[in-house]
């Protein structure tokens, strides 16, 4: 016989007059003058249980209940008395009059109350099992489940096949560092955990499976940020015989379907913007279109001004000068304070900027005399006129400037744009639009130059196809070569990215030549893929979405760790299991490994 007849949170007025059997945890126990009320919780929510003293045996059990006891309740569903209805609960119009009560398992005193706010993340991750009982986390993980199911249903309907790829694979260091797994059988040899199933899904296309997908774990040993995890979950997809635009249309439809069916949100149209336009207007390849601020290009204006910060950047190779107009930022009484302006100057230094120049537009009609800034005296009249004209400045506006190498300007002023737009000032002055803002960013460059290694690097990965007609540019002018790469962006987050792949060995060789990967090196790292491409590989392409990131956005969670059941900290540690941990000498010997620091070996 089943231990329960339904979930606590699903008991509604439809069951009035019926006897139910429920199982769950004591969320709270209240003694109201001889009548005991117990809020019982399970994954679907709460129900109020009433324990009257006229059932002495049951009542004695109720008196001893404490938070987080696991219990079974059998009782009668009845309407709550007038004035006690709770409209915030599905079960808020009823209560269960308890007939039988059984403690399935008592609980020690929890380290925190489940409704406690402002818990430290260390406490939450150390006691993750209890943290996962909280409705906030239960709702997040249930939404994650529904998102995954909607993805599977959509892909199944469109003929995609779920195929697993290996977790123990070959180390091919490209991008982030691999997690290495030593082989016990092959002395001195290592597997790697996959950074993505990229090569295997291309092999599956060569093998003729046509439409593949997988919701799978990926691993990257990189320095972590708030939105990164050493192991993360990817919705990985690949398809054959589809053009770039067809691929984008199909998976735009998938994401729209997922949002509609899980949140009831219509994402609407997805504008398409080139990488070059995104960088020019927003300094980012994943612009947040909700922020109504844009860059104004000034590099061509500042080459001969006396202000060396501007002229130096305008004349350097790869330099850039831009302005960011903040409407109302200098308005008397409601604009940005001098303290806020100074704090923004410190903020941009995080991104490599040396400082932040600014001009307050107090009275446009007075020209130079209507501007307030320490830099105005070092700008000639033509430059000032161009700044005011190009930015469209009005009285009360504040202009911020970035001048340095292009990457530093884009990163620093791009981050400043987001910070101001999301601030209270930005929201109060109409600089932020509260909506879902999807976007495709396309036409990425194939390569970017890395000054440190003095070589071209792949922007996406070395298997991304160039635009038709750009194949020879990979040899003659790699910097001008555009790829068939694309990213889906939502509210300034990269939700997923991919490309049409190279399916011909001769084109793949040109990419390796541009990246200065020798034939021997290519064969050693990617030989199995290059060999497969010789056997009539079909045109193919795909993309991968970050499941963790999608659900984080949907829930509005502050951290990606709030949508993962058992995440790692920013130091790549699991506080629940205390991993990673030391291992003993016997295990190391079996793996043919000796640690340089003997103190790191676990005592026998």
């Amino acid at each position: 016989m089943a231990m329960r007849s339904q979930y606590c949170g699903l008991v509604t007025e439809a069951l009035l007059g019926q006897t139910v059997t429920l199982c769950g945890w004591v969320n709270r126990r209240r003694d109201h003058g001889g009548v005991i009320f117990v809020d019982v919780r399970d994954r679907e929510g709460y129900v109020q249980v009433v324990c009257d003293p006229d059932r002495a045996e049951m009542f004695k059990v109720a008196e001893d209940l404490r938070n987080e006891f696991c219990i079974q309740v059998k009782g009668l569903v009845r309407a709550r008395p007038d004035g006690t209805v709770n409209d915030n609960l599905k079960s808020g119009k009823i209560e269960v009059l308890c007939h039988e009560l059984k403690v399935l398992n008592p609980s020690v005193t929890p380290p925190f109350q489940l409704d406690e706010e402002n818990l430290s993340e260390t406490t939450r991750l150390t006691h993750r099992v209890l943290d996962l009982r909280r409705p906030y986390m239960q709702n997040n993980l249930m939404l994650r489940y529904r998102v995954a199911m909607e993805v599977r249903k959509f892909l199944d309907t469109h003929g995609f096949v779920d195929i697993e790829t290996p977790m123990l694979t070959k180390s091919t260091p490209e991008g982030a560092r691999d997690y290495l797994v030593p082989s016990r059988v092959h002395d001195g040899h290592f597997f790697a955990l996959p950074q993505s199933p990229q090569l295997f899904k291309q092999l599956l296309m060569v093998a003729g499976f046509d439409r593949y997908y997988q919701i799978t774990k990926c691993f990257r040993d990189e320095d972590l940020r708030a939105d990164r995890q050493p192991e993360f979950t990817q919705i990985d997809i690949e398809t054959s015989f589809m053009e770039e635009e067809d691929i984008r249309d199909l998976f735009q439809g998938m994401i729209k379907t997922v949002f509609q069916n899980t949140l009831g949100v219509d994402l609407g149209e997805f504008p398409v913007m080139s990488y070059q336009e995104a960088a020019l207007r927003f300094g980012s390849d994943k612009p947040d279109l909700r922020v109504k601020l844009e860059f104004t290009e000034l590099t061509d204006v500042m080459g001969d001004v006396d202000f060396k910060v501007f002229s130096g950047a305008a004349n350097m190779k790869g330099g850039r000068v831009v302005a960011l107009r903040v409407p109302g930022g200098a308005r008397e009484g409601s604009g940005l304070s001098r303290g806020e302006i100074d704090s923004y100057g410190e903020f941009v230094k995080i991104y490599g900027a040396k400082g932040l120049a600014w001009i307050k537009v107090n009275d446009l009609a007075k020209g130079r005399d209507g501007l307030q800034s320490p830099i105005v005296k070092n700008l000639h009249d033509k430059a000032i006129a161009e700044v005011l004209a190009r930015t469209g400045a009005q009285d009360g506006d504040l202009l911020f400037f970035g001048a340095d190498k292009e990457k530093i300007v884009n990163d620093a002023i791009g981050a400043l744009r987001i910070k101001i737009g999301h601030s209270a000032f930005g929201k109060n002055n109409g600089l932020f639009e509260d909506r879902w803002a999807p976007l495709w960013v396309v036409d990425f460059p194939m390569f970017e130059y890395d000054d440190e290694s003095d070589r071209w690097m792949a922007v996406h990965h070395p298997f991304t196809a160039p635009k038709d007609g750009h194949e020879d540019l990979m040899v003659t002018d790699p910097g001008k070569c555009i790829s068939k790469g694309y990213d889906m962006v939502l509210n300034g987050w990269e939700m997923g990215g991919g490309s049409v792949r190279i399916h011909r060995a001769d084109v793949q060789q040109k990419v390796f030549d541009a990246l200065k990967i020798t034939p021997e090196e290519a064969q050693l790292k990617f030989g199995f893929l290059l060999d497969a491409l010789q056997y009539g590989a079909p045109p193919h392409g795909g993309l991968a979405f970050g499941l963790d990131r999608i659900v984080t956005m949907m829930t509005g969670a502050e951290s990606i760790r709030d949508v993962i059941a058992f995440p790692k900290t920013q130091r790549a540690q699991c506080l629940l299991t205390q991993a990673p941990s030391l291992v003993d000498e016997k295990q190391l010997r079996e793996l043919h490994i000796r640690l340089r620091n003997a103190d790191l070996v676990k005592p026998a």
Side-chain angles (χ1 to χ4, degrees), residues 279-280 295-299 302 310 320-324 400-404 409-410 413:
L280 193 70
F295 287 15
T296 299
E297 187 62 50
L298 296 172
T299 310
M302 297 299 178
F310 285 4
R320 189 178 189 193
V321 183
V322 302
L324 186 74
F400 286 118
F401 297 86
D404 211 307
V409 169
N410 288 352
I413 306 302

Side-chain angles (χ1 to χ4, degrees), residues 560-597:
I560 200 168
R561 291 183 286 278
D562 280 354
V563 301
I564 300 171
F566 301 105
K568 306 292 187 292
T569 66
Q570 282 188 263
R571 297 189 64 211
Q573 292 175 297
C574 175
L575 299 183
L576 177 70
T577 63
Q578 298 297 303
S581 59
L582 301 177
V583 297
D584 61 38
E585 179 66 31
K586 181 175 182 291
Q587 289 173 284
L588 292 174
R589 277 200 309 271
E590 287 177 342
L591 295 170
H592 321 290
I593 289 175
R594 178 183 294 127
L595 298 182
R596 289 182 175 180
N597 185 347

Side-chain angles (χ1 to χ4, degrees), residues 145-157:
Y145 157 74
R146 292 197 300 274
V147 168
M149 285 303 297
E150 289 296 335
V151 167
R152 291 187 184 279
K153 284 192 284 187
F154 182 94
L155 293 174
D156 184 65
T157 301

Side-chain angles (χ1 to χ4, degrees), residues 312-338:
N315 290 308
M316 80 165 66
K317 183 182 178 183
R320 189 178 189 193
V321 183
V322 302
L324 186 74
R325 173 188 164 224
V326 182
R331 195 179 296 125
E332 189 71 34
S334 61
L336 294 171
S337 69
R338 184 57 192 265

Side-chain angles (χ1 to χ4, degrees), residues 494-515:
E494 180 193 328
M495 284 225 299
S499 66
V500 172
R501 321 301 185 190
I502 296 167
H503 68 282
R504 287 172 41 194
D506 59 328
V507 178
Q508 186 66 70
Q509 188 56 55
K510 287 182 179 179
V511 174
F512 287 154
D513 290 344
L515 297 173

Side-chain angles (χ1 to χ4, degrees), residues 25 144 185 304 338 436 474:
W25 289 266
R144 182 187 177 107
V185 178
D304 61 348
R338 184 57 192 265
W436 292 100
M474 291 191 288

Side-chain angles (χ1 to χ4, degrees), residues 191-223:
F191 294 106
L193 301 180
Q195 294 188 27
S196 83
Q198 180 61 48
L199 299 180
F200 286 105
K201 67 179 179 181
Q202 290 191 245
L203 292 174
L204 287 168
M205 294 303 102
V206 181
F209 283 95
D210 184 9
R211 293 191 167 197
Y212 141 95
Y213 87 95
Q214 190 180 185
I215 299 179
T216 188
K217 286 285 188 186
C218 301
F219 305 86
R220 291 179 189 170
D221 187 5
E222 58 187 346
D223 296 328

Side-chain angles (χ1 to χ4, degrees), residues 389-461:
R390 291 190 186 187
T391 59
Q394 304 292 320
D395 289 350
D397 288 353
L398 178 62
L399 307 178
F400 286 118
F401 297 86
D404 211 307
K405 290 180 179 176
E406 183 177 15
K407 183 178 187 329
I408 290 175
V409 169
N410 288 352
D411 290 351
I413 306 302
L416 179 65
R417 170 183 173 268
I418 297 298
K419 190 170 181 66
I420 293 173
H422 284 255
S423 70
F425 171 84
K427 291 177 179 178
N428 292 337
N429 286 272
L431 305 183
F432 179 86
E433 189 177 358
D434 190 9
R435 65 183 177 95
W436 292 100
L439 170 73
W440 281 109
V441 178
V442 302
D443 295 348
F444 281 82
M446 278 282 287
F447 309 104
E448 58 187 355
Y449 200 76
D450 181 52
D451 292 325
E452 199 171 305
S453 60
D454 191 29
R455 58 185 282 192
W456 291 99
M457 307 291 283
V459 168
H460 268 84
H461 53 63

